[in-house]
Amino acid sequence: MNRYPRDMIGYGANPPDAQWPGGAKIAVQIVLNYEEGGENNILHGDAASEAFLSEIVGAAAWNGQRHWNMESIYEYGSRAGFWRLYRLLSDVPVTVYGVATALARSPEQVAAMKLAPWEIASHGLKWIEYKDHSEADECADMEEAIRLHTEVVGQPPRGWYTGRCSVNTVRLAAETGQFAYVADSYADDLPYWMEFGRRDQLIVPYTLDCNDMRFATAQGFNAGDQFFDYLKSSFDALYREGQEGAPKMMSVGLHCRLIGRPGRIEALRHFLEYAGAHEDVWFATRAEIADHWANVHPHKHRKRPSEMDQKMFVEMYGGIFEHTAWVAERAFALELGPAHDTAKGLHNAMARAFRSGSDKERMAVLTAHPDLAGKLAQARRLTKESTSEQASAGLDALTDAERETFEKANAAYTKKFGFPFIIAVRDHDKASILKQFENRLHNDKAAEFATACRQVERIAEFRLMDVLP
């Protein structure tokens, strides 16, 4: 099957109501990445020194060598930055993304984390890049991270975030069955579910924009005020959406060695004061958000068009274009994905297949449609879909005079164009249908063929809306 695995639609135009506790308009989630002591270093068995997220502009990895300056920058995070942040955040719900080997090298910091209302989630075994790791090696590191984390912290992690992940990371984390949530996604402002075989995995997306890492990247923040302004604007936009009935989640990503510097931490302090001054703001750990979402929005399984085999797909949707199987067969052959698992998405694929058909093939679809209020309707021999559609416009309860009017209109139309009058009756009532009869009788055959095909597509859209979200 030609299938596209990425989900480009998500919740679409109508995201669910988060129903945050207490009617909160926004959920604010603070993440503290604890990576110091888990970064690339030949002391840790790595091939080279670290080169990512430091004060050194244009840093490069040193193969086979220790990088003293880089090491000391990371050490600042554990020695000074962590404690500065701890004093500011010790009463705030925080999720720590803890690299297991870094936590093992920082027992005093771990003890402090456990005294605060903080969650300690797993940030992997080491703070290294996994894009080139084999699936088996990444899986082994994940298992060891869980084991070491449990040993150091005293309980297993409920959340996972690799960060420098591979295409396999989220699936591997889900397959452990360990995690209430996985955070290796930046795809939404709300949690969402993914299916991996029998495992339903909740994803609680993270952020790279409301993140102090941009103090150490090109086109990033070069002063604390810029960080505060960006956090404030993000909060304002999401808070407004919450007031309008669409509450969201705001993640703020922090690093001890970055925001923990004196020249930056005041920006974080100002943001916490600003957000805290608003009513209906829920500061929460990611585990609390995950538990809330799983309770209020549990995962619902359904048959998804993009995951069906051809036989099931054609059985389910072969009748959408008036029981013309070739439309469904050709739609199945397209590049389908999660975006086609909704009524609008699948309609787009089926309409593409229909439009690509020859004039003869499309004419066969038109002639397969019954007359409006015709003899088949009177004999109650319409399909269930057609019966329901005609009834929606009152065509199942015509007076004798109205029936005669429709019969004459049908005869005149069919005589001129060679196919039945087709209209999406759910868009009309009896009077407007008769008006359309009158207007469309003046079209030439080519124009009316195009009009009828558009109406076939509209009917199909309504039918898909009856069976898909």
Side-chain angles (χ1 to χ4, degrees):
M1 294 190 296
N2 184 18
R3 296 297 177 259
Y4 189 69
R6 297 169 64 198
D7 185 350
M8 308 298 286
I9 186 169
Y11 292 121
N14 299 297
D17 181 356
Q19 300 179 47
W20 299 133
K25 304 297 188 294
I26 185 173
V28 177
Q29 207 293 293
I30 307 295
V31 166
L32 179 59
N33 293 270
Y34 197 85
E35 299 155 352
E36 290 77 9
E39 76 277 15
N40 280 285
N41 192 314
I42 63 171
L43 295 176
H44 306 158
D46 302 308
S49 62
E50 186 57 69
F52 193 43
L53 295 188
S54 79
E55 306 293 338
I56 303 174
V57 177
W62 291 4
N63 290 322
Q65 297 183 60
R66 292 176 62 185
H67 193 317
W68 185 265
N69 291 347
M70 182 65 72
E71 288 181 21
S72 67
I73 287 172
Y74 270 74
E75 288 160 14
Y76 184 92
S78 61
R79 292 163 56 111
F82 172 82
W83 298 108
R84 183 170 287 119
L85 285 163
Y86 188 77
R87 288 189 289 271
L88 176 61
L89 296 169
S90 59
D91 294 328
V92 178
V94 168
T95 291
V96 177
Y97 286 165
V99 174
T101 50
L103 295 176
R105 295 181 175 112
S106 300
E108 291 193 23
Q109 291 90 335
V110 170
M113 294 173 193
K114 294 173 68 174
L115 289 175
W118 292 7
E119 169 208 2
I120 309 178
S122 182
H123 198 2
L125 181 64
K126 300 166 71 173
W127 176 227
I128 60 175
E129 185 71 70
Y130 277 92
K131 68 180 179 66
D132 296 322
H133 276 55
S134 70
E135 184 173 327
D137 287 345
E138 184 175 6
C139 186
D141 275 8
M142 195 172 286
E143 291 176 357
E144 176 60 13
I146 296 170
R147 186 203 67 77
L148 182 58
H149 182 109
T150 304
E151 184 178 279
V152 171
V153 177
Q155 59 187 23
R158 299 191 63 223
W160 179 272
Y161 176 73
T162 293
R164 299 157 87 171
C165 64
S166 76
V167 71
N168 299 313
T169 299
V170 175
R171 176 178 55 80
L172 292 175
E175 288 174 351
T176 68
Q178 169 72 43
F179 303 111
Y181 69 90
V182 173
D184 277 296
S185 172
Y186 315 100
D188 215 300
D189 298 312
L190 289 172
Y192 60 92
W193 293 94
M194 293 186 72
E195 296 177 4
F196 297 94
R198 297 182 179 180
R199 174 65 177 168
D200 302 331
Q201 181 61 64
L202 183 63
I203 309 297
V204 180
Y206 186 43
T207 178
L208 295 181
D209 66 319
C210 294
N211 194 311
D212 69 358
M213 68 176 285
R214 294 185 60 196
F215 283 113
T217 60
Q219 295 299 313
F221 308 122
N222 60 33
D225 286 349
Q226 294 177 347
F227 187 45
F228 169 73
D229 285 345
Y230 194 87
L231 295 183
K232 177 180 178 296
S233 294
S234 299
F235 177 90
D236 288 346
L238 294 171
Y239 190 80
R240 183 177 300 107
E241 290 179 13
Q243 290 177 312
E244 294 169 351
K248 302 293 196 313
M249 177 184 77
M250 177 180 178
S251 296
V252 180
L254 307 173
H255 298 75
C256 301
R257 63 191 176 279
L258 297 177
I259 198 68
R261 292 283 177 174
R264 297 173 181 145
I265 197 165
E266 289 305 299
L268 176 62
R269 185 189 307 276
H270 293 159
F271 172 72
L272 293 172
E273 292 170 351
Y274 178 79
H278 288 70
E279 295 181 350
D280 301 324
V281 177
W282 182 38
F283 284 88
T285 66
R286 297 177 85 74
E288 289 171 334
I289 289 172
D291 289 342
H292 170 83
W293 199 266
N295 181 55
V296 175
H297 297 288
H299 185 50
K300 297 178 181 178
H301 287 267
R302 61 184 178 87
K303 293 180 179 178
R304 300 174 185 274
S306 67
E307 297 174 355
M308 295 177 179
D309 60 26
Q310 186 181 40
K311 180 181 178 182
M312 179 180 289
F313 187 92
V314 175
E315 286 177 355
M316 290 287 292
Y317 305 111
I320 296 298
F321 276 73
E322 205 56 35
H323 301 279
T324 307
W326 68 262
V327 178
E329 290 167 354
R330 294 181 193 178
F332 179 85
L334 295 175
E335 182 193 79
L336 302 185
H340 301 96
D341 292 337
T342 66
K344 288 186 179 297
L346 186 56
H347 179 259
N348 179 270
M350 296 192 76
R352 286 174 57 193
F354 175 66
R355 293 166 194 163
S356 67
S358 66
D359 286 352
K360 181 179 179 180
E361 287 173 321
R362 287 186 292 158
M363 177 63 80
V365 176
L366 300 188
T367 56
H369 280 260
D371 289 334
L372 285 183
K375 293 179 180 179
L376 289 178
Q378 295 173 40
R380 300 187 183 280
R381 290 172 55 196
L382 295 178
T383 63
K384 181 175 67 173
E385 294 87 355
S386 292
T387 298
S388 174
E389 288 159 0
Q390 296 204 22
S392 70
L395 301 185
D396 61 338
L398 298 176
T399 66
D400 290 342
E402 288 173 331
R403 186 174 295 107
E404 182 179 357
T405 299
F406 270 95
E407 288 175 353
K408 289 180 179 180
N410 278 324
Y413 183 93
T414 305
K415 180 178 180 181
K416 179 173 182 179
F417 298 113
F419 51 83
F421 178 75
I422 299 171
I423 192 168
V425 294
R426 294 196 211 181
D427 286 327
H428 298 276
D429 57 22
K430 285 185 289 187
S432 65
I433 290 171
L434 285 171
K435 185 65 174 177
Q436 285 294 310
F437 254 128
E438 180 182 334
N439 292 341
R440 286 167 57 180
L441 273 167
H442 297 296
N443 286 339
D444 61 38
K445 192 164 186 177
E448 186 54 24
F449 180 78
T451 299
C453 286
R454 286 194 296 271
Q455 290 300 305
V456 166
E457 293 180 15
R458 180 63 171 157
I459 292 168
E461 183 175 10
F462 278 121
R463 290 176 177 177
L464 286 168
M465 289 167 62
D466 289 337
V467 295
L468 286 172

